[in-house]
Amino acid sequence: MKEIDVLVVGFGAAGAAASIAATSAGASVLVLERAGAPGGSAALSGGEIYLGGGTSVQQACGFSDTADDMYAFLSAALGPHADPAKLRHYCDGSVDHFDWLVSCGIDFQPSFFEGPTWMPPTTDGLMWLGENAWPFNEIAKPAPRGHRGRAPHLAGQVVMNALIAHALSVGVEVEVDTRATSLIVEDGRVVGVNARHYGDDLSFRARSVVLTTGGFVDNEQMLADHAPSLLGHAKVSDGLDDGSGITMAASIGAATRRMSVVEAAFTAIPEMVCRGMLVNGLGQRFINEDVYPGLYSHAALHQPGPCWVMIDEAGFDAVADAWGVRPSFAAETVEELAVDLDLPRGALEATVAAYNEGAANGQDPLFHKDSRWLRPLTGGLAAVDPRRGFHPTESTPSGTGFAGFTLGGLHTTVDGVVLSLAGDPIPGLFAAGRASSGMHGEGYISGTSLGDGTFFGRRAGRSAAV
């Protein structure tokens, strides 16, 4: 039986941060990773980390920002019911966390990508994440806070490469292909884990255990029990987010929190959405289309479907990068298109007429879309079906158009201490990342998962090392 000061279970972003912080606090650290290599779902992500308050990248790009403005925005965007205590710590510590990430080797290019997108095709290190869209631009002074590792499109791997390399450089030990199966508890304290490695049963003892095992989007039964809104949709994960850490802790009396909260990405091109409109299965708009894509995705998930992106020829031609997406339906008149889409009679016609009337005056009375994106939709109208994803040549929809992950998990303090069903700390047990319920309420902004995981992973690691 191997003994260690701090045992971290899971080597994604939160696990890397926890292990680095615990080692820096003087503890000996071992990370158990179930897969054949570190990285987790974070390595497959867009790589955005939500940071603000006046980072050096923000300053280099000419933006001023404060922790209070960041807090005001995130309180609204991650709400309702965002966690105020965690959110306050996160915003107040954001500049320090940025500097820490840089010290770990993450390279943020000090340049700005201005356009609407899921992830820039450039290596720019800063992007908007909806801070400049209504109603958030009236709640807080807008400042872009999407910080990205230096890579085009998916930057998650470069972020994880840096964190992994830094963890190994400071002496963190790693055991891969090792799956934790249960917690070891003695006299009410967690003192280690049991695990399996190539069919062999192993035990590891530690002064403290930090669970950073990810969420539960890959566990169909847990989704059915807690987050059924994601059933039937694609998953954003490495395939191993099965809730194992959550269930291990729950089996010894740990409390969970906000298990129904999810994020779902609607595979519609943000620039295309901005230049047109989103309508639901009733032919009605339901949000301002220039908002952060994750927010219109979450809204679309709860609409009567299917949802469509409506755009005219001029709008489509103005899209800089359509990712190969082409309209699924097109018609000379709105009435003809409505018939093709089997929308309620007169609904789409009324929606387009109201939109065009406002756009002609540079206004959107319903949802306050920014005037720079407002233009009457004229001539023939086309409908893009996000259910086809980025494969528009398929003759039939290939999925639902949504891909998601879970945000709920173990109930923890701001220092990562796991709480029991009675609200008491469970001695020796900590959690961070998507295995825990972080700062999110019912909303999500890109970068708040990697940000939350690394920030509170650090705090959990430091606390576990004491």
Side-chain angles (χ1 to χ4, degrees):
M1 179 181 290
K2 187 164 186 174
E3 297 190 7
I4 204 83
D5 290 336
V6 176
L7 185 66
V8 179
V9 184
F11 204 172
S19 65
I20 293 168
T23 301
S24 299
S28 58
V29 179
L30 172 66
V31 184
L32 303 183
E33 171 52 48
R34 162 183 184 178
S41 296
L44 304 178
S45 72
E48 295 90 358
I49 304 177
Y50 200 88
L51 300 161
T55 67
S56 61
V57 169
Q58 287 180 308
Q59 294 178 42
C61 294
F63 295 98
S64 61
D65 192 19
T66 68
D68 286 344
D69 281 324
M70 181 181 176
Y71 179 85
F73 170 76
L74 285 179
S75 294
L78 300 187
H81 313 304
D83 189 304
K86 288 182 177 178
L87 197 53
R88 188 73 255 182
H89 280 280
Y90 183 73
C91 294
D92 289 344
S94 184
V95 172
D96 172 78
H97 191 53
F98 169 84
D99 293 340
W100 181 84
L101 291 167
V102 171
S103 75
C104 290
I106 300 177
D107 181 16
F108 298 100
Q109 181 174 309
S111 57
F112 176 55
F113 185 86
E114 186 173 4
T117 184
W118 280 111
M119 55 199 80
T122 66
T123 58
D124 294 314
L126 188 66
M127 63 184 291
W128 288 110
L129 290 173
E131 299 91 346
N132 55 343
W134 185 87
F136 309 108
N137 57 4
E138 296 182 357
I139 293 171
K141 178 185 175 183
R145 303 187 185 96
H147 290 65
R148 306 182 70 255
R150 191 187 291 255
H153 298 301
L154 296 169
Q157 189 65 64
V158 300
V159 168
M160 283 308 305
N161 286 347
L163 291 175
I164 293 165
H166 190 68
L168 297 177
S169 74
V170 298
V172 172
E173 296 183 63
V174 184
E175 296 277 357
V176 298
D177 294 311
T178 304
R179 178 176 182 173
T181 56
S182 62
L183 296 168
I184 301 171
V185 183
E186 294 179 359
D187 299 323
R189 182 180 182 87
V190 174
V191 296
V193 302
N194 296 310
R196 296 273 290 175
H197 176 76
Y198 293 133
D200 294 329
D201 292 320
L202 305 173
S203 294
F204 299 87
R205 293 187 67 90
R207 188 170 70 235
S208 300
V209 173
V210 185
L211 298 174
T212 55
T213 48
F216 59 94
V217 72
D218 293 309
N219 187 319
E220 291 294 305
Q221 186 59 57
M222 288 184 73
L223 285 184
D225 291 342
H226 303 290
S229 61
L230 286 186
L231 287 173
H233 300 300
K235 305 174 189 304
V236 178
S237 78
D238 64 350
L240 300 177
D241 287 343
D242 63 358
S244 59
I246 298 172
T247 55
M248 279 193 296
S251 71
I252 66 165
T256 56
R257 196 164 188 242
R258 298 176 178 171
M259 293 286 281
S260 66
V261 177
V262 303
E263 168 57 2
F266 192 41
T267 52
I269 308 302
E271 188 181 356
M272 196 177 295
V273 174
C274 282
R275 296 182 185 280
M277 66 166 70
L278 274 175
V279 301
N280 59 24
L282 299 178
Q284 300 168 331
R285 292 177 70 211
F286 51 90
I287 197 169
N288 49 314
E289 293 84 359
D290 60 335
V291 78
Y292 162 66
L295 293 182
Y296 71 58
S297 296
H298 195 274
L301 181 66
H302 298 92
Q303 293 294 312
C307 294
W308 304 89
V309 181
M310 301 292 175
I311 195 165
D312 62 4
E313 185 174 2
F316 185 84
D317 290 344
V319 174
D321 183 3
W323 290 29
V325 172
R326 295 292 182 269
S328 307
F329 297 90
E332 292 297 324
T333 68
V334 177
E335 292 79 7
E336 291 173 339
L337 187 60
V339 171
D340 289 341
L341 302 183
D342 196 26
L343 298 176
R345 179 175 297 181
L348 184 60
E349 296 92 305
T351 296
V352 172
Y355 182 87
N356 283 349
E357 181 181 358
N361 299 313
Q363 297 178 342
D364 177 15
L366 282 179
F367 298 109
H368 308 283
K369 186 175 181 176
D370 192 276
S371 59
R372 67 178 174 146
W373 300 113
L374 286 173
R375 182 185 54 78
L377 303 179
T378 59
L381 198 63
V384 178
D385 187 353
R387 291 176 297 171
R388 299 178 190 272
F390 303 129
H391 303 283
T393 59
E394 295 180 358
S395 59
T396 57
S398 58
T400 65
F402 294 96
F405 56 96
T406 58
L407 293 170
L410 297 170
H411 191 181
T412 59
T413 68
V414 295
D415 292 314
V417 177
V418 176
L419 301 177
S420 71
L421 290 168
D424 300 319
I426 297 178
L429 186 61
F430 301 81
R434 297 285 60 82
S436 69
S437 174
M439 60 191 184
H440 300 86
E442 296 174 28
Y444 181 79
I445 294 291
S446 276
T448 57
S449 192
L450 291 186
D452 171 296
T454 53
F455 183 86
F456 291 104
R458 289 175 64 199
R459 295 181 71 95
R462 286 197 300 266
S463 299
V466 174

